[in-house]
Amino acid sequence: MAAHCPRALARFVRQLHRTRALQCRSPGRAIPCLIRHFSGSVPSQQTSEATTTADTDAVASHPKQIKYTSESYPSLKRDPKYSEISSEHVEFFKGILGGDTAVLDGVTRDAGDDLEGYNSDWMRKYRGHTRLVVKPKSTEEVSKVLEYCNDNMLAVVPQGGNSGLVGGSVPVFDEIVISTRRMNNIRSFDEVSGTLVVDAGCILEVVDNFLAGKNHIFPLDLGAKGSCHIGGNVATNAGGLRLLRYGSLHGNVLGIEAVLPDGTIVDDLSKLRKNNTGYDLKQLFIGGEGTIGLITAVSVVCPQRPKAINVAYFGVESFEKVQQAYIEAKSQLSEILSAFELMDGLSQDYVHQVTGNKRPLEGRHPFYCLVETSGSNTEHDNEKLEHFLESVMGSEIVSDGVLAQDETQVRSLWGWREGISEAIGHFGGTYKYDLSIPLPELYSLVEETRKRLASAGLVGDDDSHPCVGVVGYGHMGDSNLHLNVLVRRYAREVEQALEPWVYEWIKKRNGSISAEHGLGVAKKAYIGYSRSETMIRLMKQIKDLYDPKGIMNPYKYI
Amino acid sequence: MAAHCPRALARFVRQLHRTRALQCRSPGRAIPCLIRHFSGSVPSQQTSEATTTADTDAVASHPKQIKYTSESYPSLKRDPKYSEISSEHVEFFKGILGGDTAVLDGVTRDAGDDLEGYNSDWMRKYRGHTRLVVKPKSTEEVSKVLEYCNDNMLAVVPQGGNSGLVGGSVPVFDEIVISTRRMNNIRSFDEVSGTLVVDAGCILEVVDNFLAGKNHIFPLDLGAKGSCHIGGNVATNAGGLRLLRYGSLHGNVLGIEAVLPDGTIVDDLSKLRKNNTGYDLKQLFIGGEGTIGLITAVSVVCPQRPKAINVAYFGVESFEKVQQAYIEAKSQLSEILSAFELMDGLSQDYVHQVTGNKRPLEGRHPFYCLVETSGSNTEHDNEKLEHFLESVMGSEIVSDGVLAQDETQVRSLWGWREGISEAIGHFGGTYKYDLSIPLPELYSLVEETRKRLASAGLVGDDDSHPCVGVVGYGHMGDSNLHLNVLVRRYAREVEQALEPWVYEWIKKRNGSISAEHGLGVAKKAYIGYSRSETMIRLMKQIKDLYDPKGIMNPYKYI
């Protein structure tokens, strides 16, 4: 907090002193995992803003209890054009990669549980049947592996930290998993330009910790940072928490080294901020989800690490005013604004109810916002943030608010945003949608969904109604809404009320049915709601160009 | 200036009061336009940081005196696969576009000088032979035009503001010019998200003025902003002055509408910051230089317009210290740093000599830097900038400096950077190279070029030596060096000393032979110095995919 504390803000400060740190606790009752779209329990290193899952209902504690994707999606059939993996193939891989550390062989022997971690995703929604995992150590080894697979019609799945949300990084049938986990060197970092070059298998948090020692920051932050690989981040065009400030990977990735299915090494690992010499082909791999090639290394421009982080949390009476507050935040906080998160009143009710934590603000408001600033001067940033709050409170855009006093309170306030997903999971199950919507209409979808379900008689307080409520929250600054429909149990009528209605609603507004999670298995069927037939045709053209035999990550994407 | 003025900075402030505004004046003597690489006179709305031109020596006051590109590049031959334009073709275009305002017909009548502005570029280095210019008003019209051209094997050149630096926007032979100048509507702007949608033919300055009224800024600034089109900016992936702050167009362009040669409309005009639904095909058009399609509209995310602009100019004793100053600027100015420009001592000598303006600093320094900050709070920014200068002067990284006191002084200091190109043009001609080089070695090329030319006996004060000197300057923050070799006259031995040596030097350091200007005609032959055979092969594959008949902007790019 800056030295002076204007009167208008005194209340903010006093209030936060009463705020307790958020601690998620058990809701005290067992809630049956009944529904198809259940979001499951969430490992601590993961965000759980998961996508809607179309055809899985499996949530289990042991991998072997996870339903196979091939059963959840009965329409998917193993394409007979792919070869069955033989002992001869395994011998080849052992020969070029050097034995047991690099090849997990479930073909010629029982690899038992070892394979399960590669077959199943962290959400326990997707499970494949692979019997072979290869772990090349270098780009050249990846090249040899892919060339051999292409020549022998062996389907493959590139796998990084396996922390995706749409089932893109695990096999569906017996595709060979090519894991990047042994390619984990930080190749170079130039402190003057901030240019970092890393192997694809480097873990985001490891890289960010390395950069912290150099006063730099990776321009991407994710809940899954403790396990996700940089290569996977780039392959899925991960968005995350810093996008508002640092922009997308399409702007921050300077170069990519990748291997095409035929073994060609795409040597586009430029360290230059400017290089106007031809088509920017690397962009196709950013968000390509491993369907046209396997990323082996990336170079990224990394900004200076901010010295000051400040957080404010406030209540707003209408979405109209939320938009006004966002405009004011952009105008007044401008270069230091690093997050503007939206949480509706119901979402905060649930966090309060589940965690038992005292609310940061007195009373209840229809909307809450969390604003974070990151800058190079604590005093300046405090002053800007205070001035912003004075201004939006003075003009009655914001009704009430608190400012974090220290790092603990910063974490506590973030808890009211980051704790939503876990809190609402306690009520049963959730239909989750990760959507981009033009800002003016962002919240309308939540309201319309509520009306729609209510008028169908699906929402109520007692067990006779399948729906508990509809919650909206997300990255206001990125126009990214998480629409969550909380249900007591799976009910076909709820799903029929929601789909394809939600997707049609998105289509009418030129929104995106997958803002940041990608397509994978989960969204493959729905791309037509966000992309025209022309665009899908042009995408398929690119897929056919780079992967004419179709060995890269089949059954997914487009 | 902030209210307080620390002692360490008093000198800065005093000095600038003595600084006169830079005004370029005639050097007072006629300098013959002798050399091949002459940079020519520079229209006021253009920067003249032009590329080296490989095969042109034409600099003339009247378009008809400009040498034809086909003569300057005798290796280029008109491909007989393209049809000759007939009156029947002209009738078709008049039929669909509606007559004389939309079709400039030099086929069935004498269009005289009207065609010259479309045949010649602003630098007067490139000149084509077109006899037909079409000016569609809508995307649908572009689609009809291109489909017809594709069906009838008519080659075309997309043309925006025709302000490019590599001859990419004018025909070489009789390619039909498709001008975007009648497609100039600002389609929409959302003040909440900052998302702007504009037709390709909107002029950058017009759009930026429009945004100024909305307190936003276009995330790109160029010397040519008064004439360049947004579509051309995107097609050439223009870099410009704001890249350090706002990043590249690959990050800022949210969507593109374009027409493929076969008439297909690529409807990828998303307004969303996040949209992970398939390959990001629009990226291929950013920097594609009109070789795979014609951009008809773009959507761009625009930041808040900064309320405060500050500029400092200072002298540094070594490139080592320039790098230290840059690291400090990044660290201390961080989020408000919007430019860090490098000018070597010789470049400033020439500006001083040609303009006669008093230098901003006493004495002479081997290097000068211009630092600009842009932020939302003048007082905070001043304080940061002052603190930065105190710190770099206190630690003897910077020897001396000045801070601009007002907008006039901001422009005056920028004049010492922006006036370089015009100043050095007065000494005869210039071999100009626009290069990206990893920062630690950025200036080594200038030093090595000096040594190389000196040891060959090519540099001296009298007329017996062809070279006057070697100057280095550029966008330090983007690793973008402008290497300029000033010569009294064209001399084959100078060129032989420079090429391919400069390109080989760049290649060894994985630099770029075209940082921001693109390839066009000028750099087509040299792409191999910045891109591997694999990358070139993959680029040609993309060209063949989208433009199998090769009608789009032939004889250029790759």
Side-chain angles (χ1 to χ4, degrees):
Chain A
M1 197 69 180
H4 71 291
C5 180
R7 265 192 301 277
L9 290 173
R11 191 167 40 138
F12 277 62
V13 178
R14 277 198 308 276
Q15 280 182 334
L16 193 61
H17 284 305
R18 298 196 299 267
T19 305
R20 276 172 291 156
L22 180 95
Q23 291 177 320
C24 285
R25 63 181 195 188
S26 163
R29 59 192 173 95
I31 295 170
C33 301
L34 294 172
I35 64 146
R36 287 214 311 165
H37 289 244
F38 191 79
S39 60
S41 67
V42 182
S44 59
Q45 83 278 19
Q46 304 283 2
T47 57
S48 60
E49 293 165 11
T51 175
T52 176
T53 59
D55 295 284
T56 64
D57 57 355
V59 177
S61 58
H62 191 276
K64 289 204 172 162
Q65 294 174 263
I66 304 171
K67 200 166 172 178
Y68 286 110
T69 309
S70 54
E71 292 169 14
S72 310
Y73 292 76
S75 62
L76 293 178
K77 305 289 180 201
R78 186 185 184 283
D79 192 324
K81 75 178 177 184
Y82 301 121
S83 307
E84 302 279 347
I85 300 164
S86 69
S87 57
E88 190 192 336
H89 297 142
V90 175
E91 278 317 298
F92 173 82
F93 293 121
K94 285 184 178 169
I96 57 163
L97 301 180
D100 287 347
T101 55
V103 179
L104 189 49
D105 167 19
V107 178
T108 66
R109 61 182 183 81
D110 179 15
D113 290 345
D114 293 347
L115 286 167
E116 283 302 333
Y118 298 90
N119 265 320
S120 314
D121 79 317
W122 70 273
M123 295 183 299
R124 296 167 176 163
K125 284 177 176 169
Y126 303 95
R127 189 178 171 206
H129 300 266
T130 200
R131 291 186 299 146
L132 184 64
V133 177
V134 296
K135 303 174 198 167
K137 186 96 179 106
S138 68
T139 304
E140 291 66 31
E141 287 185 359
V142 172
S143 172
K144 284 177 191 163
V145 166
L146 279 176
E147 187 181 5
Y148 182 82
C149 290
N150 202 47
D151 289 346
N152 290 277
M153 275 308 279
L154 293 163
V156 303
V157 183
Q159 187 176 94
N162 196 9
S163 60
L165 291 150
V166 287
S169 59
V170 288
V172 175
F173 297 102
D174 60 343
E175 303 93 272
I176 298 169
V177 171
I178 306 179
S179 167
T180 54
R181 65 172 63 180
R182 288 177 74 233
M183 300 172 64
N184 54 8
N185 290 315
I186 294 173
R187 294 195 189 177
S188 68
F189 179 66
D190 175 39
E191 294 194 44
V192 183
S193 64
T195 306
L196 171 81
V197 184
V198 291
D199 282 353
C202 287
I203 290 171
L204 176 56
E205 193 167 53
V206 171
V207 171
D208 195 52
N209 287 341
F210 166 83
L211 288 168
K214 310 279 186 189
N215 286 320
H216 281 71
I217 191 168
F218 199 85
L220 170 76
D221 192 14
L222 290 179
K225 67 181 166 192
S227 57
C228 65
H229 291 190
I230 302 281
N233 296 149
V234 174
T236 57
N237 187 31
L241 303 169
R242 290 178 187 159
L243 192 132
L244 176 66
R245 175 62 175 276
Y246 301 119
S248 84
L249 290 171
H250 287 290
N252 292 315
V253 171
L254 299 179
I256 280 181
E257 181 186 83
V259 181
L260 299 183
D262 67 1
T264 298
I265 295 172
V266 180
D267 51 344
D268 197 11
L269 202 55
S270 169
K271 299 180 191 176
L272 308 167
R273 283 182 75 112
K274 286 179 174 175
N275 183 17
N276 272 354
T277 53
Y279 306 114
D280 197 357
L281 300 183
K282 70 170 183 287
Q283 301 285 354
L284 296 176
F285 298 89
I286 302 174
E289 299 187 28
T291 59
I292 55 173
L294 190 151
I295 295 171
T296 54
V298 294
S299 70
V300 180
V301 62
C302 299
Q304 287 282 317
R305 205 165 191 92
K307 297 185 182 89
I309 306 273
N310 286 307
V311 168
Y313 175 99
F314 49 84
V316 190
E317 300 314 302
S318 68
F319 187 67
E320 193 60 43
K321 289 191 173 180
V322 170
Q323 290 184 75
Q324 288 171 23
Y326 178 58
I327 291 175
E328 283 303 315
K330 283 215 311 174
S331 169
Q332 295 188 35
L333 303 173
S334 192
E335 67 275 7
I336 60 166
L337 182 63
S338 54
F340 194 109
E341 298 289 306
L342 167 72
M343 300 86 72
D344 67 9
L346 199 56
S347 76
Q348 300 300 275
D349 294 344
Y350 290 137
V351 175
H352 172 62
Q353 196 174 332
V354 171
T355 64
N357 289 338
K358 183 169 167 52
R359 291 168 181 273
L361 304 175
E362 305 282 346
R364 188 187 184 278
H365 304 272
F367 295 94
Y368 295 85
C369 299
L370 183 147
V371 169
E372 185 194 75
T373 64
S374 311
S376 57
N377 185 308
T378 310
E379 210 173 301
H380 290 171
D381 293 3
N382 281 336
E383 202 181 315
K384 286 192 182 87
L385 190 52
E386 284 171 18
H387 184 268
F388 160 71
L389 287 169
E390 278 182 73
S391 140
V392 288
M393 288 182 71
S395 54
E396 295 184 352
I397 295 170
V398 162
S399 310
D400 197 5
V402 286
L403 264 176
Q405 302 294 298
D406 54 35
E407 211 176 307
T408 306
Q409 292 186 352
V410 164
R411 279 198 301 274
S412 164
L413 289 180
W414 265 112
W416 287 87
R417 162 66 183 83
E418 295 192 305
I420 297 172
S421 198
E422 184 156 354
I424 61 184
H426 285 73
F427 291 89
T430 318
Y431 289 84
K432 286 173 172 284
Y433 299 89
D434 163 45
L435 310 160
S436 276
I437 302 169
L439 259 187
E441 294 197 84
L442 183 94
Y443 199 72
S444 310
L445 178 60
V446 182
E447 293 166 331
E448 291 188 33
T449 305
R450 276 186 194 138
K451 277 184 206 153
R452 185 174 173 84
L453 295 176
S455 66
L458 296 167
V459 190
D461 289 337
D462 61 71
D463 203 53
S464 68
H465 299 90
C467 293
V468 178
V470 179
V471 159
Y473 61 101
H475 314 289
M476 178 84 181
D478 307 332
S479 299
N480 187 181
L481 175 76
H482 297 297
L483 170 72
N484 283 214
V485 178
L486 283 64
V487 289
R488 295 184 175 86
R489 58 182 175 275
Y490 167 70
R492 178 152 291 278
E493 64 265 35
V494 176
E495 191 175 314
Q496 284 172 341
L498 289 172
E499 294 180 18
W501 176 81
V502 168
Y503 294 123
E504 284 166 356
W505 196 97
I506 291 296
K507 183 173 183 166
K508 273 185 206 144
R509 282 139 188 101
N510 295 313
S512 173
I513 56 132
S514 189
E516 54 183 6
H517 297 164
L519 295 168
V521 173
K523 299 286 181 80
K524 180 185 167 76
Y526 307 114
I527 184 172
Y529 290 97
S530 278
R531 299 288 196 167
S532 68
E533 280 179 31
T534 301
M535 291 309 296
I536 295 170
R537 177 174 63 79
L538 293 172
M539 287 180 195
K540 285 186 172 157
Q541 201 181 40
I542 288 289
K543 168 72 177 175
D544 291 342
L545 181 72
Y546 287 104
D547 185 23
K549 293 186 171 180
I551 66 158
M552 296 297 297
N553 219 356
Y555 317 112
K556 295 163 188 166
Y557 205 61
I558 52 163
Chain B
M1 198 69 181
H4 72 291
C5 179
R7 265 194 300 279
L9 290 175
R11 189 168 40 137
F12 276 64
V13 178
R14 278 198 307 276
Q15 280 181 336
L16 192 61
H17 285 304
R18 297 195 301 266
T19 305
R20 277 173 289 156
L22 181 94
Q23 291 177 319
C24 283
R25 61 182 197 189
S26 161
R29 59 193 171 92
I31 295 170
C33 300
L34 295 172
I35 64 146
R36 288 213 312 164
H37 289 243
F38 191 78
S39 59
S41 66
V42 181
S44 60
Q45 82 279 20
Q46 304 282 3
T47 56
S48 60
E49 294 165 12
T51 177
T52 178
T53 59
D55 294 283
T56 64
D57 58 355
V59 177
S61 59
H62 190 276
K64 289 206 172 161
Q65 293 175 265
I66 303 171
K67 200 166 172 179
Y68 286 110
T69 309
S70 54
E71 292 169 14
S72 309
Y73 292 75
S75 62
L76 292 178
K77 305 290 179 202
R78 185 185 184 285
D79 194 324
K81 75 178 177 183
Y82 302 120
S83 307
E84 303 280 348
I85 300 166
S86 68
S87 57
E88 189 191 337
H89 298 141
V90 174
E91 280 316 300
F92 174 83
F93 293 120
K94 285 183 178 168
I96 57 164
L97 300 181
D100 286 348
T101 55
V103 179
L104 189 49
D105 168 18
V107 178
T108 67
R109 61 182 183 84
D110 180 14
D113 290 346
D114 292 346
L115 286 167
E116 282 302 332
Y118 297 90
N119 265 320
S120 314
D121 78 317
W122 69 273
M123 296 184 299
R124 294 165 176 166
K125 284 176 176 170
Y126 304 95
R127 187 177 174 209
H129 301 265
T130 200
R131 292 186 300 147
L132 185 64
V133 177
V134 295
K135 302 173 198 169
K137 187 96 179 105
S138 68
T139 304
E140 290 65 32
E141 287 186 359
V142 173
S143 171
K144 284 178 191 163
V145 167
L146 279 177
E147 187 181 5
Y148 182 82
C149 290
N150 201 49
D151 288 347
N152 291 279
M153 274 311 277
L154 293 164
V156 302
V157 184
Q159 187 176 94
N162 197 7
S163 60
L165 291 149
V166 289
S169 60
V170 288
V172 175
F173 298 101
D174 59 344
E175 302 93 271
I176 298 169
V177 172
I178 305 179
S179 168
T180 54
R181 66 172 63 180
R182 288 177 74 234
M183 299 170 65
N184 54 7
N185 290 316
I186 294 173
R187 295 196 191 177
S188 68
F189 178 65
D190 174 39
E191 294 196 45
V192 184
S193 65
T195 305
L196 171 82
V197 183
V198 292
D199 282 354
C202 287
I203 290 171
L204 176 55
E205 194 167 52
V206 172
V207 171
D208 195 51
N209 287 342
F210 166 83
L211 289 169
K214 310 278 185 187
N215 286 320
H216 281 72
I217 192 169
F218 199 84
L220 170 75
D221 192 14
L222 290 178
K225 66 181 165 192
S227 57
C228 65
H229 291 191
I230 302 281
N233 296 148
V234 174
T236 57
N237 188 29
L241 302 170
R242 291 178 187 159
L243 192 132
L244 177 65
R245 176 62 175 277
Y246 301 119
S248 83
L249 290 172
H250 286 291
N252 292 317
V253 172
L254 299 179
I256 279 181
E257 181 187 83
V259 181
L260 299 184
D262 67 1
T264 297
I265 296 173
V266 180
D267 51 343
D268 196 12
L269 201 56
S270 169
K271 300 180 190 176
L272 308 166
R273 284 182 73 113
K274 288 179 173 174
N275 183 16
N276 273 353
T277 53
Y279 305 115
D280 197 357
L281 299 182
K282 70 169 182 286
Q283 301 285 352
L284 296 175
F285 298 88
I286 303 175
E289 298 187 28
T291 60
I292 54 173
L294 192 150
I295 295 171
T296 53
V298 293
S299 70
V300 180
V301 61
C302 298
Q304 286 283 316
R305 204 164 192 94
K307 298 183 182 90
I309 306 274
N310 286 306
V311 168
Y313 175 99
F314 49 83
V316 189
E317 300 314 302
S318 68
F319 187 68
E320 191 62 41
K321 288 189 174 181
V322 170
Q323 289 183 77
Q324 288 171 24
Y326 178 58
I327 291 175
E328 284 302 316
K330 284 215 310 173
S331 168
Q332 294 188 35
L333 302 174
S334 191
E335 68 274 7
I336 60 167
L337 183 64
S338 55
F340 193 110
E341 297 290 305
L342 168 73
M343 301 85 75
D344 68 8
L346 200 56
S347 75
Q348 300 302 274
D349 293 346
Y350 290 136
V351 175
H352 172 62
Q353 196 173 331
V354 170
T355 65
N357 288 339
K358 184 169 165 52
R359 292 167 180 272
L361 303 176
E362 304 281 348
R364 186 187 185 280
H365 304 272
F367 295 94
Y368 296 86
C369 299
L370 184 147
V371 169
E372 185 194 74
T373 64
S374 311
S376 56
N377 184 308
T378 310
E379 208 172 301
H380 290 169
D381 292 3
N382 282 335
E383 200 181 316
K384 286 192 182 85
L385 189 53
E386 284 171 17
H387 184 268
F388 161 71
L389 287 169
E390 279 182 73
S391 141
V392 288
M393 290 181 72
S395 54
E396 296 184 350
I397 293 170
V398 162
S399 309
D400 197 4
V402 285
L403 263 177
Q405 301 294 299
D406 53 35
E407 213 176 306
T408 307
Q409 292 187 353
V410 164
R411 280 198 301 273
S412 165
L413 289 180
W414 264 112
W416 287 87
R417 163 65 183 84
E418 295 191 304
I420 296 172
S421 198
E422 182 155 356
I424 61 184
H426 284 74
F427 291 90
T430 316
Y431 289 84
K432 287 174 172 283
Y433 300 89
D434 162 45
L435 310 160
S436 276
I437 302 170
L439 260 188
E441 294 197 83
L442 183 95
Y443 199 73
S444 310
L445 178 60
V446 183
E447 293 166 331
E448 289 187 35
T449 304
R450 279 188 190 133
K451 279 186 202 149
R452 186 173 173 86
L453 295 175
S455 66
L458 296 168
V459 191
D461 289 336
D462 61 69
D463 203 53
S464 68
H465 299 89
C467 295
V468 178
V470 179
V471 159
Y473 62 102
H475 314 291
M476 179 83 181
D478 308 333
S479 299
N480 187 181
L481 175 76
H482 296 297
L483 170 72
N484 282 215
V485 178
L486 284 64
V487 290
R488 293 185 177 83
R489 59 182 173 276
Y490 168 70
R492 177 150 293 278
E493 64 265 35
V494 177
E495 191 176 314
Q496 284 172 341
L498 288 172
E499 294 181 18
W501 177 80
V502 167
Y503 295 124
E504 285 166 354
W505 196 97
I506 292 296
K507 183 174 183 166
K508 274 185 204 143
R509 282 139 188 101
N510 295 313
S512 173
I513 57 134
S514 190
E516 55 183 5
H517 296 166
L519 294 168
V521 173
K523 299 287 180 81
K524 179 185 165 77
Y526 306 114
I527 186 174
Y529 289 97
S530 279
R531 298 289 196 167
S532 68
E533 281 180 28
T534 301
M535 290 309 296
I536 295 169
R537 176 173 64 78
L538 293 173
M539 287 179 196
K540 287 187 171 157
Q541 200 180 40
I542 289 290
K543 168 73 176 173
D544 292 342
L545 181 72
Y546 286 104
D547 185 24
K549 292 185 171 182
I551 66 158
M552 297 296 298
N553 220 354
Y555 318 112
K556 297 164 188 164
Y557 205 62
I558 51 163

